[in-house]
Amino acid sequence: MKLAICHLYPDLLDLYGDRGNILTLAARCRWRGIEPVIQKASLGEDLDFMGMDILFIGGGSDREQGLLVQDLMRRENELRKAIENGLVVLSICGGYQMLGKYYQMTNGERIDGLGILDIWTIAGAKRLIGNVVVELDEKKSSGNSNKFRTMVGFENHSGKTYLGEGISPLGKVLFGHGNNGEDSGEGVRHLNVFGTYLHGPLLPKNPHLADLLLELAIQRRGVDTSLMELDDCLEDLAHKAMVKRLLKQA
């Protein structure tokens, strides 16, 4: 089996080691005998969203966001159709914000988003920085390979994201700030789209989430199979140690 994984704008959106998410997905495919086909696509390049299995969009600055939204607007219909068809999307920080309605900067200027998610972001007066522990919503993170009910990562954002009616967060913040530092929510899941502020990178710290993305991508192909279990002893110990250490500080 092959899985097509697209890293969108890797030259412009790659804060805090975000490309490590692609490396993790690729490695966990290879260890199971699945061939990862990695596409790196930037401004103006042809994209076949329907032909992708997983789309990854990382984080970047406000300036880069404005440029990239303009590029994506040309293909918004195709991306929306692929998402409605079950395309698995992982979007981090700036990539997460771009999928929403708009980003309002400190001067009041708004950068229009794609409007695929009913969310919007407003620049805050201070940055929300630090390690994060999230208690995952079981309905949003269920999967055969999901070992933990928690997610850990690192956030650094001034944008405060709010969710519209009918949209719920990926989980509840136990330590850190999350979407906006006000409502205890972190991230969002809509269909197979996962949005989050967690860098670090995210997936090496949360291999159970990486496997959930792979499972969803395989299921979308109509293949009824479970992923082979991997020896994640070290990864599991690191995850549990981080959760334990941070919750002691809460």
Side-chain angles (χ1 to χ4, degrees):
M1 180 185 293
K2 296 182 180 180
L3 281 183
I5 303 172
C6 178
H7 188 176
L8 192 57
Y9 309 127
D11 52 338
L12 298 168
L13 298 179
D14 186 27
L15 288 179
Y16 311 115
D18 280 342
R19 67 181 177 275
N21 294 305
I22 294 292
L23 296 176
T24 299
L25 289 171
R28 296 184 75 80
C29 280
R30 288 194 298 269
W31 293 338
R32 294 180 167 103
I34 301 170
E35 180 182 348
V37 181
I38 309 298
Q39 175 189 10
K40 297 179 180 180
S42 195
L43 289 167
E45 294 186 28
D46 292 335
L47 293 170
D48 176 16
F49 291 114
M50 290 295 288
M52 297 175 188
D53 293 302
I54 300 176
L55 172 65
F56 173 68
I57 313 174
S61 70
D62 296 349
R63 175 183 174 278
E64 289 159 343
Q65 236 176 283
L67 292 172
L68 302 182
V69 165
Q70 293 177 29
D71 185 61
L72 274 176
M73 285 289 191
R74 301 184 295 107
R75 297 174 282 210
E76 183 264 330
N77 287 335
E78 290 83 358
L79 177 56
R80 188 183 294 272
K81 288 178 182 177
I83 287 173
E84 291 173 352
N85 185 251
L87 173 64
V88 178
V89 180
L90 176 61
S91 54
I92 308 284
C93 198
Y96 170 31
Q97 295 169 353
M98 285 195 301
L99 296 178
K101 293 180 176 179
Y102 62 83
Y103 181 97
Q104 181 173 304
M105 296 190 288
T106 52
N107 62 7
E109 180 183 349
R110 288 188 178 184
I111 299 174
D112 289 334
L114 297 176
I116 292 174
L117 300 178
D118 185 14
I119 64 172
W120 59 94
T121 304
I122 300 174
K126 66 175 183 177
R127 299 196 71 81
L128 306 178
I129 305 175
N131 290 307
V132 184
V133 178
V134 177
E135 181 180 41
L136 292 168
D137 184 331
E138 186 172 355
K139 294 180 181 178
K140 301 285 182 180
S141 58
S142 60
N144 294 334
S145 60
N146 195 14
K147 304 174 185 177
F148 299 115
R149 295 263 68 84
T150 52
M151 182 170 72
V152 297
F154 179 82
E155 63 181 342
N156 185 349
H157 56 104
S158 61
K160 302 169 76 173
T161 295
Y162 300 90
L163 312 186
E165 292 186 12
I167 298 275
S168 57
L170 185 57
K172 176 184 178 181
V173 176
L174 301 180
F175 185 90
H177 304 285
N179 283 332
N180 50 55
E182 301 168 12
D183 58 19
S184 298
E186 156 51 32
V188 70
R189 178 178 175 184
H190 170 68
L191 300 176
N192 286 339
V193 177
F194 295 77
T196 178
Y197 273 112
L198 301 193
H199 296 277
L202 174 67
L203 297 184
K205 295 182 176 183
N206 302 278
H208 50 295
L209 182 60
D211 283 354
L212 175 59
L213 301 181
L214 294 175
E215 281 185 355
L216 292 171
I218 292 171
Q219 290 170 8
R220 178 175 176 242
R221 288 188 167 209
V223 179
D224 184 16
T225 184
S226 298
L227 290 174
M228 180 184 75
E229 288 292 326
L230 298 176
D231 181 3
D232 290 331
C233 179
L234 293 178
E235 292 88 342
D236 293 352
L237 286 173
H239 181 99
K240 291 175 181 177
M242 178 64 78
V243 171
K244 183 178 180 181
R245 178 167 67 85
L246 293 178
L247 293 188
K248 279 186 176 180
Q249 302 174 31

